[in-house]
Amino acid sequence: MPPQASQPQVRENILKFLNSFLGIIRILQIVFGAGLWVTIAANKYEGSIHFVLFVAVLFWLLTLALFFLTLLDKQDLVPLLGGERWLCTNLAHDVAATALYVPAIIVMCYKTDRNSYCNLEQYKHLCLYKVYLTAAVFACLCFLSYLLSLIYGACRKCRGEQTVI
């Protein structure tokens, strides 16, 4: 078992990760993902919106796990995925998230378009247009943040780097 790091070194590692590109992008992914699923979950939803909610919550939870494991420098404790494979694990996560956010964006844009008729002042019934529009924007922001993370991780992998930070 490796020796425990001293308190100042742990704090230094945490600050190093939080100030890194990956740390900042992971925080953005967590914030945008939470914005997406909270926007959807706080309102009435049906049909294909369930898929968007599934994607948002799944990758929000996975991103939280990756963020805290990297933040606390405990990725070596993850069997099969940690250690030298941690960069590939992050890449696989980002590829899956980027790929699944594309249909989520399509669903949200479709639902937004389908509800655009009720975006009038005279319309007095429940209108989900603004909710779907907000969710579509959050889905696009999530996609872009995962795509940036994917490109960054792929560049690091191509350079032969093994660590995430």
Side-chain angles (χ1 to χ4, degrees), residues 25-91:
I25 205 78
R26 288 284 187 238
I27 291 170
L28 289 174
Q29 290 166 353
I30 291 167
V31 169
F32 295 151
L36 175 58
W37 72 260
V38 166
T39 300
I40 293 171
N43 295 282
K44 182 182 174 201
Y45 59 93
E46 79 290 331
S48 55
I49 300 293
H50 288 94
F51 172 75
V52 178
L53 192 61
F54 167 75
V55 169
V57 172
L58 173 68
F59 285 105
W60 184 75
L61 291 171
L62 289 174
T63 304
L64 272 176
L66 289 176
F67 177 77
F68 282 113
L69 284 169
T70 307
L71 179 71
L72 300 173
D73 202 25
K74 298 295 183 188
Q75 58 267 24
D76 293 334
L77 299 177
V78 181
L80 300 175
L81 302 175
E84 294 177 0
R85 297 184 189 117
W86 193 244
L87 183 57
C88 288
T89 301
N90 278 269
L91 271 172

Side-chain angles (χ1 to χ4, degrees), residues 70-120:
T70 307
L71 179 71
L72 300 173
D73 202 25
K74 298 295 183 188
Q75 58 267 24
D76 293 334
L77 299 177
V78 181
L80 300 175
L81 302 175
E84 294 177 0
R85 297 184 189 117
W86 193 244
L87 183 57
C88 288
T89 301
N90 278 269
L91 271 172
H93 168 264
D94 294 336
V95 166
T98 303
L100 286 176
Y101 266 109
V102 171
I105 291 169
I106 292 169
V107 166
M108 290 314 309
C109 289
Y110 174 76
K111 287 291 198 175
T112 302
D113 186 50
R114 291 285 306 239
N115 284 281
S116 62
Y117 67 88
C118 67
N119 192 28
L120 302 169

